[in-house]
Amino acid sequence: MQSQPPAVPDPGPTAHDVTLCAEALRAALAAHGITLPSLRVDLPSFAGSYRPPAGLIALGNCNLATARRLAEVLRKAAEG
């Protein structure tokens, strides 16, 4: 009987992976006329207590008009 090598834990997304995700989200929103200057990679989330490190994307600090437009676009996209 052969023993299995120990499982290697998933290292989670890299800063590059999360940056690409944020850029893709920024481009998708821009295609709908939405610009969120605060959309960025939250680099401290890589050093946090998330296991594996999660690499969060900060999406906030947008004004009311942008938030309403984003909600409208996402609602229409969900409707098909």
Side-chain angles (χ1 to χ4, degrees), residues 6-79:
V8 177
D10 180 8
T14 65
H16 180 70
D17 296 331
V18 179
T19 299
L20 291 177
C21 179
E23 290 173 3
L25 179 56
R26 185 178 289 110
L29 291 169
H32 291 282
I34 299 170
T35 303
L36 297 177
S38 61
L39 183 111
R40 60 180 170 71
V41 174
D42 180 46
L43 293 177
S45 67
F46 284 101
S49 60
Y50 303 102
R51 295 291 172 237
L56 302 176
I57 295 175
L59 176 65
N61 299 330
C62 59
N63 63 31
L64 183 58
T66 300
R68 285 181 175 159
R69 181 75 178 123
L70 178 57
E72 178 185 346
V73 167
L74 294 174
R75 186 181 67 250
K76 286 181 180 179
E79 292 171 355

